[in-house]
Amino acid sequence: MQQTWRCAIRAADLGEFGIIARIVGRLPQFPAVLLGPGDDAAVLRAPDGRVVVTTDLLLEGRHFRRDWSSAYDIGRKAAAQNLADVAAMGADPTALVVGLGLPADLPAEWLDGLTDGFGDECALVGASVAGGDITRSEQIVLGVTALGDLGGRAPVTRSGARPGDVVAIAGRLGYAAAGLALLLAGRTGEAFQELTDAHRRPRPPYACGPGAAVLGATAMADVSDGLVQDLGHIAAAGGVRVEVDPDALEVPAELTAAAAELGEDPLRWVLTGGEDHALVASYPAGVRLPPEWRVIGRVTDGEGVQVTGRVEARGGWDHFRD
């Protein structure tokens, strides 16, 4: 029987400019990009005259693990968490700029998967990967900057919530946190596939961000660090109190089953789990919300966040908390 030998190409074999060419060749450019990769800088359209900018840093071993997530999943997740921040300002994402730190022995096929992940997630919102930078690193490092256009709308900041507003959520809560808990416990079977996939690849409700701006949202945030913590940012920025009704929060059967498996409280995942990248917003009372949004509380005079019937109204992700 004849054996077929396959030579694995590494990042070191391609070299810096070979890596760049390989990446650029897999990424389409959308109309917002006037001049894409290949020059000293990209040139983008800014029809609104203002540009929304956000940035994020992901480190291997802290934000993702290669034994848990494929290269494609990591690309999707890295793009999603930045595109969601743009949407949370009420803007339409237009482009990403990506900085990569790569080990020399990284397989070129892994790099292809990462690139395709970035490209496919950006395609959901019509955004492009317009450029970036590459360096050699002992571990994989991703630095992602996202850009967006407001389309003539005012940005929806965290500081606009006022007493009398309702608080509503769009997207899923608790799925990624449950998925992480299952991965840490080694429960990776088919029964919990949807939850572990949610940790690897979030599904932000991108269109709801600009849609909220059109509806008149007074404040909004991407739920990246946990509902309670991100509502706390809205409360602090607006000088108000946010009261959450836990009975209005969805606790799907998948979360309940995972919590029973691990001896956890599923509502805690919903309240404090991050990385689903849902959107939470406040609206003036009386605004008719589309079905993508569900009311979960209200804004009152005071400060902080109160979850009715819960002793603890704190929790969420903090990079420097033990």
Side-chain angles (χ1 to χ4, degrees):
M1 179 177 178
Q2 185 178 5
Q3 247 184 333
T4 302
W5 295 93
R6 188 178 180 190
C7 180
I9 302 174
R10 306 170 304 149
D13 299 322
L14 295 172
E16 178 181 352
F17 298 105
I19 292 172
I20 293 172
R22 192 175 181 111
I23 291 173
V24 171
R26 303 180 78 89
L27 292 171
Q29 299 297 309
F30 288 92
V33 179
L34 297 175
L35 181 64
D39 235 293
D40 288 321
V43 179
L44 306 179
R45 297 181 189 275
D48 179 83
R50 300 166 295 173
V51 178
V52 175
V53 181
T54 183
T55 193
D56 220 338
L57 188 65
L58 295 89
L59 304 178
E60 181 180 5
R62 183 157 188 84
H63 300 98
F64 61 88
R65 285 173 46 169
R66 279 192 270 174
D67 58 330
W68 284 354
S69 300
S70 70
Y72 182 79
D73 289 337
I74 293 166
R76 293 288 297 260
K77 184 174 183 176
Q81 64 189 59
N82 284 273
L83 297 171
D85 279 340
V86 172
M89 297 300 294
D92 295 298
T94 55
L96 296 183
V97 179
V98 182
L100 293 176
L102 304 173
D105 62 353
L106 187 73
E109 286 186 356
W110 194 95
L111 186 62
D112 292 343
L114 180 75
T115 304
D116 291 346
F118 268 105
D120 286 354
E121 192 68 28
C122 285
L124 295 177
V125 294
S128 307
V129 178
D133 191 25
I134 292 175
T135 190
R136 181 168 173 167
S137 173
E138 295 304 311
Q139 62 177 353
I140 298 172
V141 180
L142 304 175
V144 184
T145 298
L147 307 166
D149 186 82
L150 287 162
R153 303 177 292 271
V156 185
T157 68
R158 295 175 174 180
S159 61
R162 295 293 178 263
D165 288 352
V166 298
V167 176
I169 192 83
R172 307 189 302 185
L173 293 172
Y175 279 70
L180 176 59
L182 289 163
L183 287 164
L184 287 169
R187 308 290 208 278
T188 56
E190 188 176 339
F192 299 118
Q193 187 75 43
E194 184 175 4
L195 299 178
T196 53
D197 282 352
H199 170 73
R200 298 182 180 106
R201 194 188 306 173
R203 299 195 319 215
Y206 296 120
C208 291
V214 173
L215 288 168
T218 55
M220 185 159 50
D222 165 30
V223 184
S224 56
D225 297 326
L227 178 64
V228 170
Q229 183 150 299
D230 288 311
L231 280 175
H233 299 321
I234 289 176
V240 294
R241 181 184 185 89
V242 176
E243 297 180 356
V244 177
D245 177 6
D247 292 334
L249 295 169
E250 292 183 352
V251 182
E254 303 96 301
L255 294 187
T256 301
E261 177 78 13
L262 299 177
E264 296 282 353
D265 177 1
L267 185 58
R268 182 168 180 79
W269 286 332
V270 172
L271 289 170
T272 66
E275 294 195 308
D276 282 300
H277 299 287
L279 297 176
V280 65
S282 58
Y283 291 92
V287 171
R288 186 173 181 179
L289 298 178
E292 294 83 8
W293 292 92
R294 57 187 183 278
V295 175
I296 61 166
R298 61 183 185 141
V299 180
T300 65
D301 288 312
E303 61 182 23
V305 178
Q306 180 185 20
V307 181
T308 306
R310 305 283 291 191
V311 174
E312 183 179 5
R314 297 178 57 193
W317 177 252
D318 184 325
H319 288 280
F320 293 93
R321 182 186 298 145
D322 290 335

